[in-house]
Amino acid sequence: MKKYLLQGEDIQMLTQQRPPILMVDVLFDANEEEAFTGLLIQPDNMFCINGQLIESGIIEHIAQTASVFAGYKALQAHQPIVLG
């Protein structure tokens, strides 16, 4: 049983971001009001200092979650996905 809705390249079709700045790895779940995403933080992540994710990385993850959520909702409604 799959424990997520989308991951990998499927996430990339929902957002304009690409590695190394892509900050969403997986869309676990979504409903009409919220989405649940994940990110495995790697030590070489550009938003890490001394192995810690800095505030701008958290903000970027939140922004990209919103983008992925909007794209997923459009996909579910059979509407065009608007990037950006």
Side-chain angles (χ1 to χ4, degrees):
M1 182 173 147
K2 212 160 64 165
K3 297 182 181 181
Y4 58 86
L5 297 175
L6 299 171
Q7 73 173 4
E9 290 181 12
D10 292 332
I11 292 290
Q12 290 185 28
M13 74 178 181
L14 302 178
T15 182
Q16 67 184 9
Q17 302 300 341
R18 298 291 179 263
I21 201 167
L22 184 62
M23 295 291 287
V24 174
D25 292 334
V26 60
L27 174 62
F28 289 111
D29 198 10
N31 58 46
E32 285 297 314
E33 298 177 0
E34 57 193 356
F36 301 91
T37 63
L39 171 66
L40 179 59
I41 302 166
Q42 302 294 333
D44 63 345
N45 185 296
M46 65 189 311
F47 292 106
C48 284
I49 297 177
N50 298 324
Q52 296 289 317
L53 184 66
I54 59 175
E55 293 88 353
S56 58
I58 296 168
I59 292 167
E60 188 61 31
H61 175 69
I62 293 167
Q64 289 187 30
T65 292
S67 175
V68 167
F69 184 37
Y72 182 76
K73 285 173 66 173
L75 189 67
Q76 295 302 302
H78 304 286
Q79 299 293 321
I81 298 168
V82 179
L83 300 179

